[in-house]
Amino acid sequence: MARHAEQLAREDALSRTIALVNDKGGVGKTTLAVNLAGQLAAADFTCLLVDLNRQANVARDLGYRDTPSDDHGRNLFDAITGRSALMPIPGVRQGLDVAPGGTELDDLVAWMVTRMGREGPSANLALANALAPVAPNYDFVVIDSPPEATFLVDLCLYAAHWILIPTRSDGAGLDGMENVAKRFNVAKQYNSGLSLLGAVLFGTGVRSTSIHDEVRAQLESAFGGDSPLFSAFIRFSEKTAQDGRRLGRLAHELEEDLAAQPAWWQELRDGKRGSRISSTAASVAGDYRDLALEVLTVLREAEEAAETMPSAEGAQ
């Protein structure tokens, strides 16, 4: 009874936790996680972004890499392994705190293997237990999972209430999505609140409607007929991606920089030849706004439906 109450309390605390997962790398997980969290924060929601990746590209995307606040994942490792409480970096953006990742997470897989040997699958609740005390301080928790790291992806599946699957339209991205579906069903045995938020196409063409239909069919095959593919998608723009990582700026911040950027002929006249923000930044920023709005809409509808369920059952 006590363990059941503990599980319900943990799942309630993590009820707005979204993990971005796909077994395949290069499908846009980090870029999507950072920009989704940034959009939510810009919309006046408080958000915690958790970077579970040793590559720590979140730090580069948000511009805090190798600053004094960047501990390269040491606190996150200690929190997951029960050595200390989670202490995110506050105010990386207004309304956005970050639990950094990095090379200090290198030993996490070995720790998980040992823990699994003693506790079995319940060891995968370690991240959930680390997040539960701080999650109520935020409107949303967004987790960026690493690619091709089964133990760490399982940590995300056991901690999240919602999973969002980024994918490209190639076969490898879709295979990674199907691999997640298999472990999703196992994780639900220990994390009963786990649900599929949906899948989102990353780096796709605006007119690739037949490819979008193919991805939707693959998603329904992997998760079931009600599995949603978001109508919002993130278009391909290599220059905007490069600008963001080079400058440590999110897509909507690049859009602001673009609006303030002098005309090219003014820079030429003034003898300035600096790197310019790509004009595609505005389109990509619009894609992320559309995605954030769609995510919020799906979550609101799900929460409203959940609120009516007890009364509906009582009426039967």
Side-chain angles (χ1 to χ4, degrees), residues 5 34 36 91 106 113 137 140 149 161 169 172 202 249 251 267 280 284 290-291:
V34 170
L36 176 60
D106 281 347
V113 170
N137 299 329
F140 294 97
H161 185 81
S169 55
F202 179 82
R249 303 282 281 170
E267 291 190 346
T280 59
V284 174
D290 291 344
L291 176 63

Side-chain angles (χ1 to χ4, degrees), residues 121-289:
S122 62
N124 289 316
L125 291 167
L127 176 59
N129 292 331
L131 290 175
V134 301
N137 299 329
Y138 300 93
D139 294 313
F140 294 97
V141 177
V142 176
I143 307 173
D144 176 33
S145 70
E148 299 168 358
T150 300
F151 283 104
L152 304 190
V153 172
D154 284 342
L155 282 175
C156 298
L157 293 177
Y158 282 62
H161 185 81
W162 300 99
I163 64 166
L164 178 61
I165 304 179
T167 186
R168 291 185 182 270
S169 55
D170 61 5
L174 297 175
D175 288 345
M177 182 174 67
E178 291 178 351
N179 290 337
V180 170
K182 295 174 184 176
R183 296 212 306 281
F184 174 90
N185 292 322
V186 176
K188 278 184 70 68
Q189 299 175 31
Y190 296 84
N191 178 13
S192 61
L194 182 64
S195 301
L196 175 66
L197 184 62
V200 57
L201 271 167
F202 179 82
T204 187
V206 177
R207 297 182 178 87
S208 304
T209 54
S210 62
I211 293 175
H212 298 181
D213 290 341
E214 180 183 344
V215 173
R216 183 175 289 103
Q218 290 269 5
L219 179 66
E220 291 176 353
S221 174
F223 284 92
D226 295 328
S227 305
L229 176 67
F230 282 104
S231 58
F233 57 86
I234 311 303
R235 72 192 72 195
F236 177 77
S237 176
E238 187 172 359
K239 182 62 168 64
T240 294
Q242 290 175 344
D243 287 342
R245 195 148 283 182
R246 173 174 57 87
L247 299 171
R249 303 282 281 170
L250 303 178
H252 69 277
E253 294 169 336
L254 289 175
E255 182 182 30
E256 295 169 359
D257 297 340
L258 176 65
Q261 183 173 253
W264 65 268
W265 54 265
Q266 287 180 295
E267 291 190 346
L268 187 64
R269 182 193 61 194
D270 297 339
K272 298 178 180 178
R273 296 188 177 183
S275 181
R276 292 177 58 79
I277 303 298
S278 169
S279 60
T280 59
S283 298
V284 174
D287 292 344
Y288 282 114
R289 271 193 296 274

